[in-house]
Amino acid sequence: MIPLDDAYVDAAAPNPDAIKNGRGLVLKNKFTAYHISEDESILFGECQGSGKEPYRCSCDFARADQPTHRCSCPSRQFPCKHCLGLMYAYVQKKAFKAAAVPDDLQGKREKIQARVEKKQADTDKPRQVNLGALAKKVKAQLAGIDVLERLTADLIRVGIGNMNAKLAAGMEEQAKQLGNAYLPGAQAALHNYTRLFAVDDGSFTDQPSQQRERIYSEALDQLSRLHALVKQGRAYLQRRLDDPELKPETDSAIAAWLGHAWHLGELKDAGLVETAAELVQLAFNTHDDVARKEYIDTGVWMTLGNGRIRLTQNFRPYKAVKYIKSDDSFFQVAQVPELCVYPGNVNPRVRWEGMIPRPLETKDIDAIRRHGQADFAAVVKDVKSHLKRPLADKQPINALRFKQLGRVGDTYVVEDASGTRLAMTDAGMSEEPASCHLLSLLPAGLFDDNTLIARFRHDLDTRKLQIKPLSIVTRTAIVRLTL
Amino acid sequence: MSIALLAQVYDEARRLAIAGSIVAASDFRIKKLIVPLEQAGAKAPVFAKVAEGIKAVVESTDKTSAQALLDLATLVNAILYTQGETGAAGDLKPIATTDLGLSATQTSARVLKPLLEALSTTGSGRLELVRDAYERGAFRDLRLIQPAVAAIDDVFGEIADFVADKVLPLYGTAILPALRSGFDMKCRAGHPRRLRLMHQLDPAGARDLVKQSLENGSKEVKVAAIECLGAERDDISYLLEQAAAKAQEVRQAAYRALATIDDDAVIAVLQKAFAGKDLGLAAASLKTSRNAKLLKFVLSGIEDGLAQLRKTKEKKEISAGLSRLMLMLSCLEGRDDAASEALVLQVFADRDGLAKVRGDTTSGSDLNAVVVRLMAYGTPRMRGTLVDNHAALDAEDLDECFHAARTEVPADKVFAIFAPYVTAKVDAKKKDRDPAYAKRSAIIEQLEQHLYTYRQTDALPPLDPRWLDLAVQVEDLYLVGRLIRPGHAAANAYLSKTFTEQFKKAKQMYDCHDAAAAMVRAEHPDATDAVIATLEKFGDKAGYYEYYLGHLVAELPKSALPRLEALIPKLHDRVADSLLGFMQQLRDKPA
C-alpha cells in the first residue's frame, strides 16, 4: 500500500498551479487508465493531453524515500501535473487495476536500480581525480585570488566614502573574472560588498550621505572579510597545489567560500555523514539574494539525536526559478537514512537524498527542549569566539532554554536561570520577517521556562550582541514567529 | 581590557577606510593611540599587536597602505566581536500581552508568502486573495499582523478599506502601538483610516490624537477626527469650530456630527447652515436631527420657500428656489412627526398647482417627484395617501407608489390595484410615449427589481402568488424567471415550451440561459436535462457564457453530478475548467 494523502501530494507539487491542474485532470476524467503494480509499489496510467496519443505517466515508490515520477509529456516541471493527477486519483480512491508493469517502464525501473547500485559501487570506489586538471584549476583560482586581492586593495585605497555608482557597477563587471577563475564564492562575497551601495531594485545610484553612513561599518566588515578570504584562500590553494592528493578542507568552510560545490560522495568520503538521523524544522525563510542572483530557501533544523542546529538551503537561480521547486515549511519529523553535513562551524548546511516523514510527537518536542542551552553565558562565549573569525557565519542560530522572557524598558529580553540576559532586536536581520513585535501578541504562558530558537547578531555600530527570536518551543508545540 | 581604547582605534580605522588608505600614512589621530596601546600591551599582549598594526598603517606607503589598514581593521573587528555587549540592565518586567486567541501559527510558507506579497506589493487580483484569506480565517495568524497594518496604506483603496474595516479589528488593541507610530496627521491616504481605527479600538487613548488632528491635521484626517468626536461638551466646542472650517468636506463632516447633538449652540449653527449656502452640505445631516426647535425652523423655512416660489416670476429665480426647496424637503426624509406629515401632505395636495411652476432648468414636477419619494418611504398615512392617488400618478411616480403599496397594503390588494396596469392594452409601437405602456413597464420593472437578488430574502412582504400566473399569461420570460417558484404547473409548461423554442433557435450558449435558469430555480423536472443539453450543444467551443451557466450547475440537484461528470470530458478544456469549481460546490452541497 502506498502511503499517500492530499497533503503529501500537495507538498510534492512544484507550485500551486500544478496542484490545481493536477486535480483538474482527475475531475475532467482525463485519465484513461489507472494501474497499480501487483506489489503496489508503482502507480501508472494514461492521461489524455492535447495530442493524439495519451501521456504515459507513472509514480514509482520502489524507493519510498525518493519516489520517481516519469511522464511522456514535455513538461519540465517535476512531478508534472499528470503525475500529480495520478497521485490525487489514488488518494481519491479511484479504481486502480492491478496490472503488470509495462516492459518499457520495467526497463526504466531496472535501469534506475542499476544506477543506484552503480552509484553505490562508485561511492565505494576511490574517486579518480585528474591531477593535471586539478592543478590547472587551482592555478587559475590562485590567479583569481590575486585579482580579488587587487580589487580589495583598490577599494580600500579609494575609500569606502568615495565609492560611487559608477565604481560599484565597474567593480561588479570585474567580479565576473572571479567567476571565470572558478571562484564563485569569492565572486558572491565581492557582490555582497558592492550590493551595499545598490538600491532596493538592485541598481546603483548615488545615495545621500546619511544613508551612506549607515552602511560604512558593514562595508568595512565586508572588506575585512574579503581580505581574510584572500589570505586564507591563497594559503589553502597553495597547499592544494603543493600536494595534489590533498582533499578539500573539511574542518573549515574555506572550500565553500571559494565556491567548491560539495558532492554528497565527497562528504561521505570525508566521514561527514550521520546515519538514521531525525530532524525537526524549527524555522524557515525564503529570501532573494541579489548578490547571488537567486532565491534561497533556508530551513533551520535540529537533529533530535545530538541537538545540533543545521540549515538546509535550496538555491533557485532567477533563470531557473520556474523549474526548481521551492522548499516549504515542514511540520513533521524528517527521518533521514543518510544525513550529509557540509563543513562549517555553528550551523553547517545539511543535505539528504531521501527522507520519510513521520508525525511530530511530544517526545520529539521534549528532545528539542532538552537540547536548548540553559547557560546563556556559555552560549555567548561560544558565539563570540565563533564571530571573531572573519569568515564565520555572522548570524548563528542557537536554541536557548530560558527561565523568563520579559521586557526592560522598550527592549524584549530573555533571561536564563542564573539571571544572564540577552536583548532582542530585529535590526539587521532582514532575511526573515520581523518577529519581536509578535511577542506582545503571544499568550503570557509562553514566556516562562521554554526554549527559544534565536539568531545572534553583533551590531558593529552599537557593539551589541543581540538576538532575534525565530520560534518558541513550548511543551506541546513549536510556535513559529517567522515563516 | 580597555574597550574604549579599542573602540577608538576602530573608529579611526573606520574613518581612514572611508577616506581611503592613501591618506592613512602619518595620520596623527591614529598615531597618537600607539603609546596608550603599547602601555596597555604590557598587561594584555593583544593591545601591543594592535599598536603594531597602527604603526604599519602610519608607516605605510601608497602600495602597502591598503594591506596595512585591512590588517588593522580585521584585527580590531575580530577583537570587538568578542566584546559585544549583551544583556540589558534594569528590572525585568512581564510583557504586557494581548492574547488574541489566535491558535497555532502553523500556516506553511507556501500559503503565507502569497498573502504577504498581496499585502505588500501592487498589482491586480490581490483584493480577491485578501478577501478569500479573511473568509478562511487565515488572518488569525500572528505573522500577518504587521503586513496587515502596513496594508492600511495600500495604493488600492479598496484593499486598504477592507483591511481597516475587517482585518485589523481582529487584532484588537495589540496593534495600537503600530498604528500610532505610523500615524502622520499631515498626510492623507491611510492616515485617516489609522485615526478611525485607533479611535474604534481605544476611544480614550486616541482622544489626544483626535484633538491634535482637528487642529493640525490634513483635510482628510480632520474629517476622520470629526467622526471620532462625541456629544460631550468638550467635543461640541471642537465641532462648532470645525463647522466654520474653510474646507467643504470638513464642514460637511462637522454638520454630520453636530446633527446628532441636542444643544442650543449646535442648533443655531445648523439653522444657519439650513438658511444659508451650506444647505447642500448640511441637508443629509439635518434629516437625522430630532430637535424640535430645528424641525420647527425647517418646516417654517419650507413654508416660506413655497410662499416665495408662488410670488416669483423670474425663471432663473424659480429654478434656484425649486432647487433649495428640494434640498429643504429632503430634510424631512424619515420623519414621522405630525407637523412634517401634514406639510408633506399639504405639498402633495397642491401638486397640480406646483406642476405648473416652471423655471429655466427645473420645474414644479421635479419638486413633486421629491415629494412622492418622501411619501413612498414616509409614514403610513403618507403611503396610504399615495396609494389612494395611484390613478393620478404618471409612470415615473407609479413605481414609487407600487413600493409604498407593498409596504402599506395587503398583498392581494396590491395585486388588485396594480395587476390591471400589467394587463392593460398598450401600444407597443409607441412604447414609452404611450402612458399605459410606460406604466406597465414601471410595474414590471418594480417586480423584477424587487426580486433581482432572488436568493436573498426580500425585505418587503411577499407578493401575491397570482403575479406568477400573470407573468405566464403575458408570456414575459424574464418576469417568470424572477417570480418563479417550484411546483407551478402552468409556469413549468411555459418554461418547457420556451426552452424548447429557444434551444432550437439558439446560436450561442447565452440564448438558452434565461429559460434554463428559470427552470433550475423552478426545480423543474427537466432542469438538469436543459442545462446538460445546452452544455452538450455549445460546450465544445470556449466562449464567455459558460461562467453564467456554471452558476446554474451549482444550483442543480445533486443527482445531476454523475451526468455532469460524464459530460465534462466531452467539453472544451476551458469550458470544463470553468465548470469544475461549480461542480465542487454542488458536490459539497448538503444532501
Side-chain angles (χ1 to χ4, degrees):
Chain A
M1 189 70 189
I2 299 168
L4 282 183
D5 59 12
D6 272 332
Y8 178 94
V9 189
D10 287 352
N15 53 53
D17 278 348
I19 296 177
K20 196 176 126 216
N21 294 337
R23 285 179 189 275
L25 290 174
V26 184
L27 284 167
K28 286 190 263 181
N29 285 339
K30 290 284 180 184
F31 284 94
T32 49
Y34 293 121
H35 294 297
I36 187 165
S37 64
E38 298 284 353
D39 62 354
E40 297 196 339
S41 67
I42 181 167
L43 305 174
F44 54 100
E46 291 183 355
C47 183
Q48 191 58 53
S50 49
K52 195 175 156 196
E53 289 293 312
Y55 295 126
R56 284 179 294 280
C57 51
S58 65
C59 303
D60 189 347
F61 292 86
R63 296 179 298 162
D65 58 343
Q66 254 180 295
T68 310
H69 304 285
R70 302 182 184 92
C71 187
S72 58
C73 78
S75 169
R76 286 170 69 181
Q77 291 185 341
F78 285 97
C80 65
K81 62 181 179 180
H82 309 103
C83 290
L84 290 169
L86 193 62
M87 289 193 278
Y88 283 123
Y90 186 75
V91 172
Q92 288 168 21
K93 304 206 178 344
K94 297 275 178 195
F96 275 74
K97 281 186 200 154
V101 180
D103 289 346
D104 59 332
L105 199 51
Q106 189 56 37
K108 284 179 183 165
R109 296 184 92 191
E110 281 160 11
K111 265 188 194 168
I112 209 166
Q113 186 56 33
R115 211 179 304 144
V116 171
E117 282 163 15
K118 185 171 177 291
K119 202 173 170 189
Q120 188 56 44
D122 287 349
T123 317
D124 297 342
K125 260 198 289 184
R127 275 170 66 89
Q128 290 290 320
V129 180
N130 183 339
L131 295 178
L134 180 65
K136 201 173 162 189
K137 181 181 170 187
V138 171
K139 277 179 192 161
Q141 285 180 312
L142 275 167
I145 287 287
D146 290 341
V147 172
L148 181 63
E149 185 177 31
R150 181 173 53 75
L151 293 176
T152 312
D154 284 351
L155 288 171
I156 196 86
R157 205 172 287 125
V158 170
I160 305 168
N162 298 317
M163 189 77 180
N164 55 33
K166 194 178 166 193
L167 202 59
M171 203 55 75
E172 291 248 305
E173 201 53 40
Q174 295 202 49
K176 284 182 186 163
Q177 291 180 42
L178 299 176
N180 299 340
Y182 311 105
L183 291 173
Q187 186 185 21
L190 189 60
H191 275 310
N192 277 334
Y193 174 78
T194 48
R195 285 288 126 188
L196 289 174
F197 300 89
V199 287
D200 287 345
D201 67 355
S203 64
F204 293 106
T205 45
D206 288 325
Q207 299 155 327
S209 58
Q210 270 180 331
Q211 212 169 323
R212 277 297 186 84
E213 189 57 39
R214 283 204 295 272
I215 58 169
Y216 287 150
S217 301
E218 179 62 28
L220 182 56
D221 194 47
Q222 295 277 6
L223 283 177
S224 300
R225 187 174 277 214
L226 288 170
H227 181 58
L229 184 56
V230 168
K231 277 183 156 179
Q232 292 183 28
R234 182 178 286 140
Y236 164 74
L237 290 169
Q238 197 58 53
R239 279 200 301 280
R240 291 204 77 186
L241 190 64
D242 296 343
D243 178 5
E245 299 289 334
L246 197 68
K247 298 274 183 235
E249 207 165 287
T250 54
D251 53 358
S252 78
I254 185 67
W257 267 105
L258 294 174
H260 179 73
W262 288 92
H263 294 286
L264 292 185
E266 276 181 303
L267 295 171
K268 284 178 192 166
D269 288 348
L272 296 170
V273 172
E274 286 174 19
T275 51
E278 288 195 318
L279 296 103
V280 174
Q281 197 183 70
L282 303 172
F284 178 82
N285 74 67
T286 295
H287 80 278
D288 178 3
D289 191 326
V290 183
R292 298 175 65 117
K293 294 188 179 147
E294 56 194 4
Y295 296 100
I296 305 179
D297 306 323
T298 306
V300 179
W301 302 75
M302 180 181 274
T303 320
L304 290 178
N306 54 26
R308 297 213 175 108
I309 295 182
R310 275 85 173 256
L311 309 176
T312 48
Q313 285 182 312
N314 180 34
F315 298 96
R316 293 180 291 129
Y318 295 162
K319 281 180 187 170
V321 78
K322 214 174 138 189
Y323 309 110
I324 301 176
K325 188 183 148 192
S326 62
D327 277 359
D328 196 6
S329 322
F330 188 81
F331 302 106
Q332 292 173 294
V333 177
Q335 302 178 107
V336 180
E338 275 193 334
L339 179 73
C340 298
V341 186
Y342 283 58
N345 304 108
V346 181
N347 309 123
R349 184 181 167 197
V350 288
R351 249 179 80 192
W352 55 76
E353 279 188 322
M355 171 276 282
I356 298 169
R358 73 161 172 82
L360 182 72
E361 295 168 20
T362 318
K363 67 178 170 64
D364 304 315
I365 294 179
D366 287 344
I368 299 169
R369 287 165 61 83
R370 259 198 322 277
H371 291 309
Q373 290 164 286
D375 181 1
F376 288 3
V379 180
V380 167
K381 197 177 164 195
D382 286 348
V383 169
K384 284 180 174 177
S385 67
H386 164 77
L387 288 179
K388 73 180 181 189
R389 298 177 202 155
L391 296 183
D393 171 14
K394 295 293 182 192
Q395 296 181 4
I397 298 166
N398 282 75
L400 304 167
R401 184 75 193 257
F402 64 87
K403 180 82 184 142
Q404 201 186 346
L405 212 153
R407 198 165 194 160
V408 176
D410 287 337
T411 313
Y412 290 109
V413 167
V414 64
E415 191 177 82
D416 70 358
S418 65
T420 309
R421 292 174 182 176
L422 287 166
M424 300 191 206
T425 181
D426 287 316
M429 292 175 270
S430 56
E431 286 176 9
E432 296 109 350
S435 58
C436 283
H437 68 287
L438 297 179
L439 294 174
S440 64
L441 305 173
L442 292 172
L446 259 63
F447 301 146
D448 293 318
D449 197 23
N450 277 321
T451 297
L452 178 74
I453 310 302
R455 187 185 279 284
F456 281 76
R457 179 176 180 266
H458 176 99
D459 190 296
L460 294 160
D461 290 317
T462 60
R463 291 178 192 132
K464 281 183 182 168
L465 180 64
Q466 291 174 310
I467 56 170
K468 171 175 180 165
L470 302 184
S471 305
I472 296 178
V473 186
T474 69
R475 286 182 176 78
T476 52
I478 301 170
V479 180
R480 293 184 184 222
L481 302 177
T482 54
L483 286 182
Chain B
M1 188 178 280
S2 175
I3 304 302
L5 191 57
L6 280 173
Q8 226 176 326
V9 178
Y10 175 77
D11 288 342
E12 295 304 333
R14 182 177 179 270
R15 177 179 59 80
L16 291 174
I18 293 168
S21 68
I22 39 172
V23 298
S26 310
D27 184 83
F28 74 95
R29 275 169 64 178
I30 199 164
K31 200 174 175 182
K32 70 181 179 191
L33 296 173
I34 296 175
V35 177
L37 281 166
E38 280 176 341
Q39 284 167 354
K43 282 183 191 166
V46 72
F47 284 97
K49 218 173 163 189
V50 176
E52 277 172 34
I54 297 179
K55 272 187 201 166
V57 171
V58 292
E59 289 164 10
S60 65
T61 62
D62 269 7
K63 274 190 180 171
T64 59
S65 65
Q67 179 80 10
L69 187 58
L70 281 170
D71 280 342
L72 176 66
T74 309
L75 176 64
V76 181
N77 245 356
I79 301 170
L80 287 176
Y81 266 121
T82 66
Q83 301 302 317
E85 189 191 319
T86 55
D91 288 343
L92 185 66
K93 291 186 179 149
I95 296 171
T97 61
T98 316
D99 189 354
L100 300 167
L102 301 179
S103 50
T105 50
Q106 296 283 293
T107 316
S108 77
R110 213 174 273 170
V111 175
L112 207 59
K113 205 98 206 292
L115 203 47
L116 288 172
E117 276 166 16
L119 290 170
S120 57
T121 54
T122 53
S124 59
R126 295 181 300 130
L127 179 61
E128 207 52 42
L129 204 77
V130 171
R131 199 176 274 159
D132 183 50
Y134 170 76
E135 276 159 16
R136 281 187 292 119
F139 275 100
R140 300 185 73 77
D141 186 313
L142 297 171
R143 296 166 294 178
L144 282 167
I145 296 177
Q146 202 173 45
V149 170
I152 206 166
D153 290 318
D154 200 288
V155 286
F156 183 31
E158 277 187 57
I159 287 189
D161 286 339
F162 186 81
V163 166
D165 296 344
K166 304 276 186 185
V167 179
L168 293 176
L170 285 177
Y171 306 132
T173 51
I175 54 167
L176 280 174
L179 289 174
R180 193 174 267 267
S181 65
F183 178 62
D184 182 349
M185 64 183 71
K186 301 272 183 209
C187 295
R188 308 186 309 167
H191 299 277
R193 288 186 202 107
R194 271 195 184 82
L195 186 66
R196 269 187 217 111
L197 193 56
M198 282 190 280
H199 177 259
Q200 181 188 334
L201 297 172
D202 177 18
R207 181 89 185 149
D208 273 356
L209 277 182
V210 170
K211 283 184 184 173
Q212 289 168 28
S213 302
L214 283 172
E215 282 176 20
N216 305 317
S218 65
K219 191 168 69 186
E220 291 77 3
V221 167
K222 270 187 186 170
V223 170
I226 289 168
E227 287 167 15
C228 299
L229 290 175
E232 287 164 35
R233 173 72 22 212
D234 197 20
D235 288 351
I236 294 173
S237 65
Y238 278 107
L239 287 172
L240 291 174
E241 207 176 294
Q242 298 304 323
K246 209 171 166 187
Q248 279 191 8
E249 292 90 336
V250 178
R251 291 208 301 282
Q252 191 170 28
Y255 292 138
R256 205 159 38 230
L258 285 169
T260 61
I261 300 168
D262 203 357
D263 179 278
D264 281 350
V266 168
I267 299 308
V269 168
L270 292 177
Q271 284 178 349
K272 193 179 158 199
F274 179 80
K277 282 183 182 170
D278 274 2
L279 175 61
L281 293 179
S285 310
L286 290 169
K287 73 180 179 195
T288 62
S289 173
R290 289 294 172 265
N291 182 284
K293 195 175 158 194
L294 182 68
L295 176 62
K296 205 174 161 194
F297 187 80
V298 169
L299 293 175
S300 78
I302 296 171
E303 278 166 359
D304 290 351
L306 285 167
Q308 189 63 34
L309 187 69
R310 287 188 192 101
K311 287 182 206 157
T312 313
K313 300 284 176 225
E314 178 63 37
K315 289 212 167 193
K316 206 172 174 185
E317 275 178 44
I318 291 174
S319 272
L322 279 169
S323 301
R324 268 192 83 78
L325 264 170
M326 283 190 265
L327 282 171
M328 285 173 168
L329 278 165
S330 73
C331 298
L332 300 182
E333 206 178 299
R335 291 185 186 272
D336 55 3
D337 58 281
S340 304
E341 187 186 71
L343 180 64
V344 172
L345 290 175
Q346 182 196 319
V347 182
F348 181 70
D350 191 24
R351 60 196 313 275
D352 292 337
L354 282 168
K356 289 174 194 155
V357 178
R358 298 203 183 273
D360 60 349
T361 53
T362 46
S363 72
S365 303
D366 299 320
L367 188 71
N368 284 338
V370 171
V371 174
V372 166
R373 191 170 167 75
L374 270 179
M375 290 174 72
Y377 294 88
T379 61
R381 198 171 149 218
M382 289 189 211
R383 294 198 296 259
T385 310
L386 189 64
V387 176
D388 291 345
N389 286 282
H390 69 90
L393 300 174
D394 61 15
E396 277 172 30
D397 292 342
L398 196 64
D399 60 353
E400 299 286 6
C401 180
F402 183 74
H403 179 270
R406 284 200 63 200
T407 56
E408 197 51 38
V409 182
D412 56 340
K413 208 172 165 199
V414 175
F415 182 77
I417 297 171
F418 294 97
Y421 286 110
V422 178
T423 49
K425 202 177 171 192
V426 296
D427 187 342
K429 279 184 188 166
K430 277 191 178 172
K431 291 201 169 173
D432 280 346
R433 282 181 288 124
D434 173 21
Y437 184 95
K439 287 181 184 179
R440 183 185 141 179
S441 300
I443 299 300
I444 289 178
E445 207 173 287
Q446 277 292 308
L447 285 166
E448 287 170 357
Q449 266 181 14
H450 282 291
L451 293 163
Y452 191 74
T453 49
Y454 67 93
R455 288 182 192 85
Q456 291 173 4
T457 321
D458 200 335
L460 296 168
L463 284 162
D464 189 288
R466 287 172 293 169
W467 282 110
L468 179 56
D469 304 338
L470 197 65
V472 175
Q473 185 193 323
V474 298
E475 298 198 338
D476 186 327
L477 175 62
Y478 196 65
L479 191 58
V480 170
R482 293 288 160 214
L483 300 171
I484 193 71
R485 59 179 181 269
H488 193 286
N492 280 357
Y494 166 71
L495 287 174
S496 294
K497 186 187 90 179
T498 312
F499 178 77
T500 313
E501 284 168 13
Q502 290 194 341
F503 185 74
K504 264 187 209 161
K505 288 184 206 158
K507 290 193 174 135
Q508 55 181 342
M509 201 180 267
Y510 198 74
D511 295 339
C512 311
H513 175 266
D514 286 351
M519 287 172 86
V520 172
R521 277 173 225 149
E523 294 172 17
H524 196 292
D526 298 336
T528 306
D529 290 345
V531 172
I532 288 182
T534 310
L535 282 168
E536 272 175 346
K537 186 168 178 183
F538 299 105
D540 57 343
K541 271 186 279 178
Y544 301 104
Y545 301 118
E546 51 268 16
Y547 175 79
Y548 299 97
L549 215 64
H551 279 287
L552 299 184
V553 164
E555 304 269 325
L556 286 173
K558 262 192 156 177
S559 56
L561 263 175
R563 288 180 67 190
L564 287 164
E565 278 168 0
L567 175 72
I568 284 284
K570 295 176 201 158
L571 301 178
H572 188 280
D573 245 18
R574 260 176 53 194
V575 179
D577 280 336
S578 72
L579 293 183
L580 290 178
F582 296 111
M583 281 173 64
Q584 192 56 42
Q585 282 178 30
L586 180 57
R587 212 169 275 127
D588 296 341
K589 209 159 79 169

